[in-house]
Amino acid sequence: MSHESSKIIDAQNRLTEVKYLVEVLFMAAADIGNKRQQSAIQYVCDIADERIATINALLATACKQP
């Protein structure tokens, strides 16, 4: 495995950690009594999840390139 591939895998692993943190925030938001605030936080979490998935896909593509 090349040094660059190793860096990409490390980045993917860190993104997975961030994804788990976003999931925790999403679940914690469910305990907020104000539905408007709860929805706003969960909406931001959804956007973060989408961005993480996009970055992971880009990294996976970069890892497969020769």
Side-chain angles (χ1 to χ4, degrees):
M1 178 181 300
S2 75
H3 182 63
E4 292 301 315
S5 293
S6 177
K7 285 182 177 181
I8 291 171
I9 291 170
D10 186 44
Q12 288 174 317
N13 289 339
R14 290 180 186 270
L15 279 173
T16 298
E17 291 173 6
V18 173
K19 180 175 175 46
Y20 294 146
L21 292 172
V22 170
E23 288 176 15
V24 168
L25 288 173
F26 188 92
M27 290 185 288
D31 285 338
I32 295 173
N34 182 313
K35 287 292 184 184
R36 189 171 176 208
Q37 291 174 349
Q38 175 187 13
S39 293
I41 293 170
Q42 289 178 333
Y43 178 71
V44 170
C45 289
D46 286 341
I47 292 170
D49 272 339
E50 290 172 10
R51 299 301 193 276
I52 291 167
T54 299
I55 294 167
N56 265 327
L58 290 169
L59 289 171
T61 301
C63 192
K64 291 178 185 176
Q65 292 179 357

